[in-house]
Amino acid sequence: MTESERPQRALRRQSDPARSPLVPDSVEAEIRRHDWDAMECGCGRSAGHLVGAVRDAAEGHPSAFRALEGHVFFGEDLKPPAPAACGVLMAVWSAGPPRQSTREALLWTLLALLCTVDDGGTHEAGLHGQCAAFIRTGTEGFRRELATAPGSGAAAYAEGILEILGVRA
């Protein structure tokens, strides 16, 4: 290792937060799969600052999901980090968050992502299409949520997701 490489490695180690025992390996792998610093966030900065928010969401903090608004989506528009964030959210969903409040916040966020304007053309998957493809992988889990918690907020969000995806509940 050269002298100029040492400070860069040290800086990378400092900016990489300690791994949480609450974040499943599959979710951590999905977080690391994306080059967050290379994406422009909806707030205009590098999306690297979103890593902490998606880790907080993976740990089960319901407010972390709402904190993605303005960065990953805003109103009816998706922002460039939306597919990466959606991949992490679906990894969280697949890991099966145990708390009802976490599942509800996660499903609200997925529904918000699906309720945006489709920005893809006839021969491409824009940000919306990429997010929908990630979300579609959780169809069976959404059906289970709807069946096991009828009348709950989570079930209502799951039903909305299934409806937008055009799959039967």
Side-chain angles (χ1 to χ4, degrees), residues 22-161:
L22 300 175
V23 178
D25 290 342
S26 59
V27 176
E28 189 63 40
E30 185 64 27
I31 291 170
R32 291 184 184 276
R33 192 171 78 79
H34 303 283
D35 185 359
W36 298 91
D37 290 326
M39 290 180 253
E40 183 179 343
C41 183
C43 70
R45 300 183 334 209
S46 158
H49 73 280
L50 292 177
V51 173
V54 294
R55 277 200 177 102
D56 287 348
E59 286 183 342
H61 303 289
S63 61
F65 295 98
R66 300 260 181 185
L68 297 174
E69 189 170 8
H71 300 276
V72 173
F73 64 97
F74 187 74
E76 294 182 356
D77 296 319
L78 291 174
K79 303 302 177 188
C86 196
V88 173
L89 296 176
M90 289 311 299
V92 171
W93 178 254
S94 294
R99 292 181 27 216
Q100 179 70 22
S101 59
T102 303
R103 288 195 315 275
E104 189 169 308
L106 173 55
L107 291 168
W108 173 86
T109 306
L110 295 173
L111 184 59
L113 290 167
L114 283 175
C115 287
T116 59
V117 175
D118 188 346
D119 60 339
T122 57
H123 300 292
E124 66 181 21
L127 297 173
H128 186 272
Q130 293 173 58
C131 288
F134 273 119
I135 295 169
R136 191 175 296 281
T137 65
T139 300
E140 288 308 311
F142 304 141
R143 288 184 178 132
R144 267 192 310 279
E145 188 70 34
L146 187 56
T148 59
S152 70
Y157 295 139
E159 184 175 31
I161 289 168

